[in-house]
Amino acid sequence: MLTALSIANIVLIERLDLDFEAGLGVLTGETGAGKSILLDALGLALGMRADSALVRQGADKAQVTASFTPPAPGTSLAALLADNEIALEAGEPLLIRRALKTDGGSRAFLNDQPCSAALLREVGGYLVEIHGQHDDRGLLVPAGHRALLDAYARADTAAVAAAHGAWRGAEARLEAAKAAISEAERDREWLEHCVAELRVLDPRPGEDAELAEARATMQKGERIAGDLGTILEAFEGSDGGPARLRGAARRLDRLAGDHALLAEALASLDRAIIDADEAETKLHEAARALEYDPDRLEAAETRLFELRAMARKHGVQPDALAELTGDLAARLDAIEGGSAGLAKLEAAVAETAAAYTHAATALSDQRRKAAARLDAAVAGELAPLRLDAARFQTLVERLPAERWGAEGMDRVEYLIATNPGAPFAPLAKIASGGELSRFILALKVALAEEGGAETIIFDEIDRGVGGAVASAIGERLARLAGAGKQLLAVTHSPQVAAKGASHFVIAKSSEGIVTRTGVRALDPPGRREEIARMLSGAEVTEEARAQAERLLEVV
């Protein structure tokens, strides 16, 4: 809801600060007083085209600031602001500011954060609808008609959206499977060759490292075999070192009792024999481990070469060959079992498509029934608004299957025919601005609280009508405002003005060659005097004041 509007240096407005309340607010004034300037200023704040002609003569820039109640969490507007990193402080209003220079350059701000004019227009579309000469959004845009009808029908579109997502997801999986099988089919011969080759090779994870280590060990054995043999000879036979040590130990054992040093020598000799035995054992183990076998070395090198050559061929590490074998075999198996897999995916597509069609058809039926109710409700509003010859129709048209989407299978558009026998046409095709505004009012009243911005502005909706029709317009504006909307009506009709919960008068004043436009809120006596002026013209009579009093009493 619009809570405040501050304007500086816009055309004839030098400085203006206005506060607004909920309900119906009316703006009146003499023809040419500057009511359009006020709407131009608000339009500038809402992202409309920046025209340097709006800058007041003699000023270097103009500025408009509009304050709105913050959007409720979870709403589309709140999500839009969050997506664009526009901070909303708890309890603080949403501030829109637009500055315009004489050279046509402009800057826009949301809560004092710079933003683009495009974002400003998008945000403005959620906040305000302007119907009249400034109308370029709201009910004239067919893109929003379907959502309004769904809200009027209390339709649950989430089920259709979910069914559509499941359907498209199943189609995507089927197409991916077909593409994979098609690719594999093209490579069948290559796959068969590779899998057969790898299976013959039968690589094992870690085999490359094992073979490399074995080859290195055997190569070392070949190099040191001679030295190791010579060393082992010193340990073997009756003349070997260990045998001589044992013989010496036996003789020393007979003498050890003769002297303490001999006993210590025997102990040392025993340890030497043990160490010599352990050394001999290690040498034999090393000889076996380093045993050089030309056939074994050649076999290890051949296997290692085959593994590494195969790894280079497929662009992987040797340890990845076993996994590659499984992957290629799986691709080959997918070709063989592809038909069965595709059949399951095709069945899933058919099943989800049927579920979507069922849900979308039910939604379409609900829309058609709601459209009939809406047409009847709008028709009931047309005659009191002097549109009794006009007809309204909610078109619910089945789209081609390729255009079905998460919103269903229908295109929805509001159509009107203003004369008997005339064909139905879109709302925007109506020639008369006043007639269009009254049509929109009728539709808004029929839709009541369903969708749209919280603030709605009707610019001279009463143009060309008076008397009972003007009273009917005022009653419907007040009724719509009572349905949770804030309405501002620019009017020349005293009957409409009398229905307002608040009343602003727009007046032009001159001082020498300087002309200014001002706006002020009226108190009850001021309202009576302004409505009396609207009734009587240039000279306000007592009879006009009495009639104004009666109009205000009816309210």
Side-chain angles (χ1 to χ4, degrees):
M1 182 182 77
L2 177 65
T3 59
L5 183 65
S6 177
I7 303 172
N9 296 322
I10 295 287
V11 192
L12 298 179
I13 299 176
E14 187 174 23
R15 180 73 192 185
L16 183 63
D17 294 291
L18 294 173
D19 294 322
F20 297 93
E21 298 177 353
L24 175 60
V26 295
L27 294 94
T28 63
E30 297 280 2
T31 300
K35 296 185 289 294
S36 63
I37 300 174
L38 197 65
L39 296 184
D40 286 338
L42 180 58
L44 183 66
L46 297 174
M48 294 181 184
R49 188 177 67 86
D51 185 350
S52 60
L54 290 174
V55 181
R56 178 178 170 82
Q57 187 175 2
D60 59 351
K61 72 172 183 177
Q63 182 169 289
V64 182
T65 303
S67 174
F68 293 87
T69 53
T75 60
S76 298
L77 177 54
L80 174 63
L81 294 172
D83 289 344
N84 287 275
E85 299 181 350
I86 304 299
L88 288 173
E89 298 295 334
E92 294 297 319
L94 172 61
L95 291 177
I96 296 179
R97 179 162 56 92
R98 187 93 178 271
L100 174 63
K101 295 182 178 180
T102 52
D103 62 3
S106 71
R107 297 185 67 191
F109 302 86
L110 282 166
N111 278 9
D112 289 327
Q113 298 181 58
C115 70
S116 65
L119 176 59
L120 207 60
R121 281 193 296 274
E122 192 172 359
V123 170
Y126 285 103
L127 295 170
V128 179
E129 290 180 22
I130 301 178
H131 300 294
Q133 60 180 320
H134 297 267
D135 196 347
D136 65 351
R137 62 184 79 186
L139 290 175
L140 295 190
V141 182
H145 292 179
R146 182 169 52 198
L148 285 172
L149 180 62
D150 287 344
Y152 180 78
R154 299 289 196 273
D156 180 13
T157 58
V160 174
H164 182 264
W167 178 26
R168 295 308 184 203
E171 285 186 327
R173 289 189 291 274
L174 175 61
E175 291 305 312
K178 285 181 176 179
I181 291 173
S182 176
E183 181 182 354
E185 188 67 46
R186 290 194 302 270
D187 298 335
R188 177 195 283 269
E189 185 176 344
W190 178 81
L191 283 170
E192 289 175 341
H193 169 75
C194 289
V195 170
E197 190 177 45
L198 284 164
R199 282 176 173 167
V200 169
L201 183 63
D202 190 23
R204 293 181 295 104
E207 187 178 6
D208 179 78
E210 293 174 4
L211 289 169
E213 183 179 358
R215 181 182 65 168
T217 301
M218 284 188 283
Q219 288 173 337
K220 290 177 184 176
E222 180 183 14
R223 190 173 63 251
I224 66 173
D227 291 337
L228 189 57
T230 301
I231 295 170
L232 283 171
E233 287 177 359
F235 284 83
E236 295 173 351
S238 57
D239 291 334
R244 292 185 175 187
L245 287 174
R246 290 187 186 92
R250 285 193 296 271
R251 291 186 179 189
L252 186 57
D253 184 50
R254 292 194 295 269
L255 305 174
D258 293 339
H259 197 280
L261 288 175
L262 293 175
E264 292 176 10
L266 179 61
S268 296
L269 190 56
D270 287 339
R271 288 195 298 272
I273 292 170
I274 293 171
D275 288 341
D277 288 341
E278 185 176 348
E280 184 178 8
T281 301
K282 298 291 185 183
L283 287 168
H284 281 291
E285 290 176 355
R288 287 192 296 272
L290 296 168
E291 183 179 5
Y292 168 64
D293 183 341
D295 294 335
R296 283 182 57 213
L297 178 58
E298 183 180 0
E301 288 181 333
T302 300
R303 177 68 175 175
L304 193 58
F305 174 80
E306 290 174 345
L307 286 171
R308 292 181 175 177
M310 188 68 72
R312 285 193 301 273
K313 177 179 178 179
H314 291 283
V316 299
Q317 293 298 316
D319 280 350
L321 287 173
E323 183 179 356
L324 177 65
T325 304
D327 291 343
L328 296 180
R331 287 176 59 185
L332 192 58
D333 290 342
I335 299 175
E336 306 299 332
S339 298
L342 286 182
K344 290 181 180 179
L345 291 172
E346 287 168 348
V349 170
E351 182 180 348
T352 53
Y356 170 79
T357 302
H358 177 76
T361 300
L363 176 60
S364 183
D365 292 341
Q366 193 175 3
R367 283 171 174 162
R368 293 179 190 281
K369 292 176 182 177
R373 296 197 306 272
L374 180 60
D375 291 351
V378 173
E381 299 290 337
L382 295 180
L385 297 174
R386 211 176 76 179
L387 294 168
D388 43 314
R391 293 167 295 149
F392 175 84
Q393 180 187 72
T394 303
L395 174 68
V396 181
E397 182 180 55
R398 180 69 57 87
L399 292 167
E402 63 270 15
R403 293 180 59 191
W404 293 356
E407 300 84 8
M409 52 178 61
D410 306 308
R411 182 180 77 88
V412 176
E413 186 173 5
Y414 300 138
L415 304 175
I416 54 176
T418 54
N419 299 304
F424 283 97
L427 286 171
K429 300 297 182 182
I430 294 300
S432 166
E435 200 171 43
L436 173 60
S437 295
R438 279 179 278 146
F439 249 114
I440 290 174
L441 176 59
L443 182 54
K444 279 288 185 184
V445 171
L447 289 169
E449 298 180 2
E450 312 305 338
E454 286 190 7
T455 299
I456 305 172
I457 298 174
F458 285 97
D459 184 12
E460 299 186 4
I461 189 174
D462 50 15
R463 187 185 307 158
V465 301
V469 177
S471 293
I473 291 173
E475 290 169 1
R476 280 154 180 79
L477 288 172
R479 191 196 316 168
L480 184 56
K485 301 287 186 182
Q486 179 192 48
L487 265 71
L488 296 175
V490 176
T491 179
H492 290 288
S493 167
Q495 291 88 346
V496 173
K499 299 295 183 183
S502 57
H503 192 150
F504 300 89
V505 64
I506 304 171
K508 186 188 296 183
S509 62
S510 297
E511 295 180 11
I513 60 172
V514 178
T515 301
R516 296 182 178 88
T517 290
V519 182
R520 60 186 176 89
L522 297 178
D523 56 12
R527 288 194 67 190
R528 186 190 67 169
E529 194 70 12
E530 172 63 9
I531 293 173
R533 181 199 63 76
M534 297 170 73
L535 287 164
S536 61
E539 183 179 348
V540 179
T541 65
E542 289 302 320
E543 182 181 353
R545 291 188 178 95
Q547 188 176 354
E549 193 70 44
R550 286 192 293 272
L551 285 174
L552 289 169
E553 287 175 355
V554 170
V555 178

